[in-house]
C-alpha cells in the first residue's frame, strides 16, 4: 500500500516515479542536456533505488513521457513511446529519454536540505522520501493505482486552474469547495473530449469520490449525394482508439447499428480523425446517438481522491488535497531558508577573517613566515588576531592576488551583501505573510511558464438519450386487417402508379382476411388502442413490428 501503489499527497508521485526522476537527475539526464538511452536510466534506477523488475520501471518511465497519458509530461522521450491505439513502446534499448523541463521543477531546491532522506534498499546510498515539488502534481497529472483493499483514481487537471485555486486557499484559508470550484471547473484530460454534468465533479471535490461521464467530441460533415460523415476528433481519456473502432465495426457487422457504410482511421501527426461514413438518406445524428449509447464514445470515469497523508492512505476533498500541498511547500520554504541562512552566516564568518587579515597584512605575513609548518602558522594566526580555526585556514589558503586593492574592495563588498542577505533571510523566517507571499510568487512563475488552455470542455447539463433519439423520424404506413393483424411499412417503399404500371401490392392477406384500416404516421407518434372492454392501451409507432 505505502511503498508501491499509492501516490504521496505532497508531490503526487509513487515511489517508482520519484526514483526515476531522482535517478535521472543523478545521471545528469536533464532537459538541457543530451538524451540518454532508456536502458541506462532503467538500469541505474534498478541498481540503486528500485530492486524490482526492469519492465515495471520502464513502463512507468514510458507513461511519464506519453502526451496522451500525462497532462504535463515529466519525462521527455525520443523514439516510439506507444500510442493512443494501445501500441507498446519500443524496447528500452531503442528509446532515449531525459527529464522534461516541467519534471525538473519537481526537484527544485532538492540540494538545499528541503526534504527528508532515507537509505536505499541496501543502505549504501540515500534517496529522498518526497520531492520538493513546486506545483500540486497530484491534481495536475492525476494518478491511478490499485493497492490491497483500496484504489486511487485521480484525473488530471488544468495547471492554471489548480494554481489559481491554491493561491485562493492561501489568501482565504477558510475557502469552501464552492469558492475553489470558481477556479477549478473540473478535470482536464490530455485527450480533450467533453465532461457532461457538474454533479459528479462537485461530489468528487466535496467527498473525494464521484463519477463523471466523458463523451467523445464529434461533428457531422456533409458530402455529395445526400450522404454524411461523422468525424470523431477527441475520445474519452484512457479509451483505446483501435479497440473503439473495432467495437463499432463489430456492431455494424452484427446489425446492432444500421446505417454505417464504412469506418476508417485518418489520424495523423496533426490530430485524431475517425471517419464514420453513413448510408444515403440516413440521419447521421441518430447514428451518433446510437454510438454514444452502445460504445466507449461515452465513458464513465470514477474518481477516487485517495493519497498518502503522513504515510497513511486517506480519501481527500479538493480543499484537503490543496491544503496538504500548501503545508508541504511551507515546510520546504522554511527548510530552504534555514539552509541558505546557515550558508550565508558561514560565508560571513570567513569574510570577517579575511577582512581582519587584509587590514593587518604585514603582521599576518610575519606570523606565517615565522612558523615552521602550517599547523603552527594556523595557531599563530588564531592567537594573534583572535580568529577561529576556519578563519585562520581560509587566510592560509588565500592567494597572493587577493592582496591587490581591487580584491580587498571585493571582499568588503561581498561582506556587505552577505550581511544584507542574512537580514533578509531572518526577516522571512520571522514573518508568515512573507513566507506565503514567496509560495504564491513561485506558483505564479510556474503558471506563467507552463500554463496552457483547457482541453476538456464541461457541459453544465448531461445529455440522456431516449429511445426516440436512436430512431430516425420518418413516415410509415400502418396496416390493420379484419382478423387483427398489424404491421408497419416505410412510406418510401410505396410509389405512385404510372399509366400502364402494375402498382405495388401493400399486403397479402390470408383466406377470408382483408385490410380494414390504413394510417400514415410518424415513427415518433403514439398509437392508442381501445379494447371491446373499454380499456385503452398505447404503443409508440416504432414499436409496431416492421414488415415488407
Amino acid at each position: 500500500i505505502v511503498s508501491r501503489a499509492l501516490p504521496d499527497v505532497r508531490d503526487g508521485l509513487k515511489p517508482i516515479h520519484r526514483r526515476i526522476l531522482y535517478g535521472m537527475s543523478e545521471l545528469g539526464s536533464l532537459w538541457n542536456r543530451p538524451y540518454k538511452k532508456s536502458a541506462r536510466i532503467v538500469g541505474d534506477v534498478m541498481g540503486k533505488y528500485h530492486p524490482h523488475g526492469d519492465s515495471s520501471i520502464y513502463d512507468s518511465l514510458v507513461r511519464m513521457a506519453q502526451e496522451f497519458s500525462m497532462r504535463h509530461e515529466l519525462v521527455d522521450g525520443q523514439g516510439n513511446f506507444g500510442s493512443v491505439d494501445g501500441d507498446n513502446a519500443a524496447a528500452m534499448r531503442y528509446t532515449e529519454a531525459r527529464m522534461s523541463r516541467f519534471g525538473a521543477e519537481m526537484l527544485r531546491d532538492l540540494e538545499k536540505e528541503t526534504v527528508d532522506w532515507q537509505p536505499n534498499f541496501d543502505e549504501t546510498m540515500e534517496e529522498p522520501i518526497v520531492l520538493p515539488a513546486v506545483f500540486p502534481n497530484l491534481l495536475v497529472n492525476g494518478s491511478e493505482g490499485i493497492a490491497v483493499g483500496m484504489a486511487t483514481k485521480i484525473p488530471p487537471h488544468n495547471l492554471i486552474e489548480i494554481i489559481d485555486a491554491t493561491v485562493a486557499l492561501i489568501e482565504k484559508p477558510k475557502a469552501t469547495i464552492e469558492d475553489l470550484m470558481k477556479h477549478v471547473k473540473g478535470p482536464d484530460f490530455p485527450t480533450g473530449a467533453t465532461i457532461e454534468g457538474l454533479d459528479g465533479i462537485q461530489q468528487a471535490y466535496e467527498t473525494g469520490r464521484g463519477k463523471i461521464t466523458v463523451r467523445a467530441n464529434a461533428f457531422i460533415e456533409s458530402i455529395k449525394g445526400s450522404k454524411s460523415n461523422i468525424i470523431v476528433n477527441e475520445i474519452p481519456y484512457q479509451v483505446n482508439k483501435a479497440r473503439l473502432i473495432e467495437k463499432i465495426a463489430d456492431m455494424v457487422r452484427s446489425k446492432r447499428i444500421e446505417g454505417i457504410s464504412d469506418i476508417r482511421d485518418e489520424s495523423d501527426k496533426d490530430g485524431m480523425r475517425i471517419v464514420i461514413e453513413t448510408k444515403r438518406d440516413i440521419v447521421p445524428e441518430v447514428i451518433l446517438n446510437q454510438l454514444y449509447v452502445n460504445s466507449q464514445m461515452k465513458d464513465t470515469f470514477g474518481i477516487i481522491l485517495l493519497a498518502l497523508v503522513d504515510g497513511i492512505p486517506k480519501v481527500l476533498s479538493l480543499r484537503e488535497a490543496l491544503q496538504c500541498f500548501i503545508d508541504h511547500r511551507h515546510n520546504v520554504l522554511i527548510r530552504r531558508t534555514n539552509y541558505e541562512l546557515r550558508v550565508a552566516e558561514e560565508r560571513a564568518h570567513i569574510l570577517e577573517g579575511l577582512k581582519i587579515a587584509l587590514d593587518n597584512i604585514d603582521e599576518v605575513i610575519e606570523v606565517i613566515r615565522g612558523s615552521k609548518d602550517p599547523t603552527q602558522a594556523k595557531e599563530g594566526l588564531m592567537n594573534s588576531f583572535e580568529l577561529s580555526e576556519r578563519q585562520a585556514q581560509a587566510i592560509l589558503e588565500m592567494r597572493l592576488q587577493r592582496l591587490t586593492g581591487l580584491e580587498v574592495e571585493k571582499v568588503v563588498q561581498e561582506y556587505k551583501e552577505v550581511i544584507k542577505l542574512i537580514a533578509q533571510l531572518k526577516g522571512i523566517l520571522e514573518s508568515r505573510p512573507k513566507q506565503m507571499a514567496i509560495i504564491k510568487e513561485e506558483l505564479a512563475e510556474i503558471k506563467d511558464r507552463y500554463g496552457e488552455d483547457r482541453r476538456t470542455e464541461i457541459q453544465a447539463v448531461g445529455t440522456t438519450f431516449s429511445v426516440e433519439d436512436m430512431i430516425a423520424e420518418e413516415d410509415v404506413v400502418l396496416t390493420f386487417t379484419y382478423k387483427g393483424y398489424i404491421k408497419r411499412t416505410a412510406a418510401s417503399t410505396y410509389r405512385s402508379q404510372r399509366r400502364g404500371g402494375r402498382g405495388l401490392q401493400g399486403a397479402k392477406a390470408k383466406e377470408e382476411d382483408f385490410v380494414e384500416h390504413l394510417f400514415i404516421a410518424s415513427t415518433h407518434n403514439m398509437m392508442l388502442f381501445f379494447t371491446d372492454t373499454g380499456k385503452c392501451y398505447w404503443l409508440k409507432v416504432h414499436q409496431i413490428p416492421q414488415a415488407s
Side-chain angles (χ1 to χ4, degrees):
I1 289 173
V2 174
S3 61
R4 220 170 194 193
L6 300 182
D8 193 296
V9 72
R10 296 168 290 179
D11 61 4
L13 298 175
K14 299 178 189 176
I16 176 62
H17 302 122
R18 194 175 298 121
R19 285 165 176 167
I20 288 170
L21 289 177
Y22 179 61
M24 285 174 118
S25 80
E26 288 294 283
L27 257 180
S29 182
L30 303 169
W31 62 274
N32 50 2
R33 306 257 182 91
Y35 291 91
K36 282 194 165 57
K37 276 275 184 235
S38 300
R40 185 171 171 199
I41 296 165
V42 170
D44 219 56
V45 171
M46 183 165 66
K48 290 179 178 175
Y49 314 110
H50 199 74
H52 302 281
D54 57 359
S55 60
S56 69
I57 300 171
Y58 184 51
D59 289 348
S60 299
L61 175 76
V62 164
R63 191 178 172 277
M64 289 162 80
Q66 288 175 336
E67 57 180 23
F68 53 87
S69 293
M70 305 288 278
R71 188 59 185 80
H72 291 270
E73 302 96 285
L74 299 176
V75 170
D76 175 10
Q78 187 168 262
N80 171 15
F81 275 81
S83 75
V84 74
D85 286 326
D87 302 320
N88 291 328
M92 58 181 145
R93 59 183 178 275
Y94 300 122
T95 61
E96 296 182 331
R98 63 183 178 191
M99 203 184 301
S100 70
R101 192 173 181 183
F102 190 73
E105 300 291 359
M106 297 289 293
L107 295 108
R108 196 201 279 189
D109 299 325
L110 184 65
E111 72 288 350
K112 293 184 179 176
E113 297 176 6
T114 47
V115 294
D116 290 330
W117 295 68
Q118 65 187 14
N120 68 338
F121 62 90
D122 60 0
E123 300 194 355
T124 54
M125 314 176 83
E126 297 252 296
E127 60 172 324
I129 290 174
V130 67
L131 296 182
V134 191
F135 56 92
N137 182 56
L138 182 75
L139 292 165
V140 171
N141 272 321
S143 187
E144 199 169 327
I146 298 168
V148 182
M150 59 185 72
T152 184
K153 197 168 184 184
I154 303 166
H157 288 79
N158 186 280
L159 181 72
I160 295 174
E161 291 180 4
I162 290 293
I163 286 180
D164 285 346
T166 310
V167 170
L169 189 58
I170 290 171
E171 288 170 354
K172 188 181 165 193
K174 290 189 177 165
T176 61
I177 297 293
E178 282 75 24
D179 296 336
L180 297 177
M181 279 186 74
K182 286 174 188 162
H183 304 285
V184 184
K185 307 285 180 250
D188 185 24
F189 299 111
T191 48
T194 301
I195 295 173
E196 294 189 338
L198 298 171
D199 294 349
I201 298 172
Q202 184 150 3
Q203 191 185 358
Y205 289 165
E206 282 174 357
T207 65
R209 290 175 188 271
K211 273 187 184 168
I212 56 172
T213 304
V214 189
R215 173 169 59 78
N217 285 352
F219 61 92
I220 285 149
E221 200 176 66
S222 297
I223 48 175
K224 283 185 287 187
S226 68
K227 285 180 80 176
S228 300
N229 286 347
I230 296 168
I231 310 294
V232 182
N233 54 4
E234 288 177 2
I235 59 173
Y237 185 53
Q238 292 176 333
V239 167
N240 183 317
K241 175 159 64 73
R243 244 180 256 152
L244 173 69
I245 293 170
E246 213 175 286
K247 176 93 189 289
I248 295 171
D250 283 346
M251 287 193 291
V252 173
R253 275 195 292 271
S254 62
K255 296 206 159 72
R256 272 182 67 193
I257 292 182
E258 292 183 354
I260 294 177
S261 60
D262 188 22
I263 178 166
R264 60 184 182 273
D265 187 1
E266 293 182 359
S267 307
D268 57 16
K269 66 181 191 307
D270 299 323
M272 187 179 293
R273 184 181 161 93
I274 303 168
V275 181
I276 299 165
E277 279 187 23
T278 60
K279 292 176 181 170
R280 199 181 303 278
D281 298 323
I282 287 287
V283 183
E285 286 84 359
V286 171
I287 300 286
L288 187 55
N289 291 345
Q290 289 176 339
L291 290 171
Y292 282 140
V293 169
N294 296 311
S295 75
Q296 271 192 300
M297 274 179 64
K298 197 170 184 180
D299 204 23
T300 303
F301 189 98
I303 299 173
I304 308 169
L305 241 161
L306 181 85
L308 297 172
V309 182
D310 298 329
I312 296 162
K314 190 178 174 197
V315 177
L316 304 156
S317 68
L318 174 67
R319 191 178 173 284
E320 287 170 322
L322 291 176
Q323 189 57 55
C324 288
F325 170 76
I326 293 167
D327 294 344
H328 170 58
R329 273 315 287 172
H330 183 243
N331 185 39
V332 165
L333 176 72
I334 298 286
R335 292 179 68 153
R336 182 182 73 195
T337 312
N338 277 321
Y339 171 83
E340 287 172 350
L341 180 63
R342 197 181 75 235
V343 170
E345 283 174 342
E346 284 170 7
R347 183 66 187 151
H349 182 63
I350 298 289
L351 290 169
E352 277 166 12
L354 292 180
K355 208 160 149 288
I356 291 168
L358 293 168
D359 289 345
N360 305 286
I361 193 66
D362 296 334
E363 293 95 317
V364 168
I365 291 170
E366 216 171 283
V367 170
I368 295 170
R369 282 179 68 185
S371 308
K372 70 171 193 292
D373 59 17
T375 312
Q376 194 183 345
K378 194 196 288 184
E379 282 170 6
L381 288 173
M382 286 161 68
N383 296 333
S384 306
F385 302 101
E386 293 180 359
L387 300 172
S388 71
E389 192 176 333
R390 290 180 62 199
Q391 285 174 323
Q393 188 61 42
I395 292 166
L396 288 174
E397 287 169 2
M398 187 170 65
R399 295 166 72 177
L400 287 173
Q401 69 176 36
R402 298 300 291 267
L403 303 179
T404 60
L406 201 63
E407 288 291 323
V408 172
E409 225 171 90
K410 270 189 191 169
V411 169
V412 174
Q413 189 56 38
E414 190 187 345
Y415 181 66
K416 282 179 184 167
E417 281 168 14
V418 171
I419 292 298
K420 205 197 262 176
L421 177 65
I422 289 171
Q424 211 178 320
L425 294 171
K426 282 182 173 168
I428 292 170
L429 288 171
E430 286 159 11
S431 162
R432 190 175 168 90
K434 273 186 190 170
Q435 294 159 10
M436 289 302 165
I438 292 170
I439 293 172
K440 287 194 313 199
E441 219 173 275
E442 288 173 354
L443 284 168
E445 180 204 327
I446 293 286
K447 175 177 140 179
D448 293 343
R449 187 178 289 171
Y450 305 103
E452 287 178 7
D453 292 340
R454 171 174 266 290
R455 292 183 196 174
T456 301
E457 292 172 43
I458 294 178
Q459 278 185 358
V461 183
T463 50
T464 49
F465 294 112
S466 64
V467 180
E468 268 75 21
D469 294 327
M470 320 281 174
I471 286 152
E473 186 162 5
E474 59 177 349
D475 282 344
V476 291
V477 177
L478 298 177
T479 314
F480 296 79
T481 71
Y482 171 71
K483 287 278 176 78
Y485 288 95
I486 176 173
K487 71 170 183 178
R488 71 181 160 98
T489 315
S492 56
T493 57
Y494 288 87
R495 60 173 184 264
S496 57
Q497 184 176 340
R498 302 282 157 107
R499 183 174 172 173
R502 281 188 53 213
L504 266 178
Q505 193 166 353
K508 265 189 184 157
K510 288 184 177 178
E511 294 274 324
E512 298 169 12
D513 197 6
F514 53 89
V515 173
E516 254 195 336
H517 301 289
L518 270 175
F519 289 112
I520 302 281
S522 159
T523 46
H524 286 197
N525 285 161
M526 196 183 278
M527 294 292 295
L528 298 180
F529 301 90
F530 295 89
T531 71
D532 50 3
T533 58
K535 284 188 174 170
C536 172
Y537 296 91
W538 63 268
L539 196 65
K540 286 280 189 180
V541 168
H542 62 73
Q543 292 173 306
I544 293 170
Q546 184 168 9
S548 58

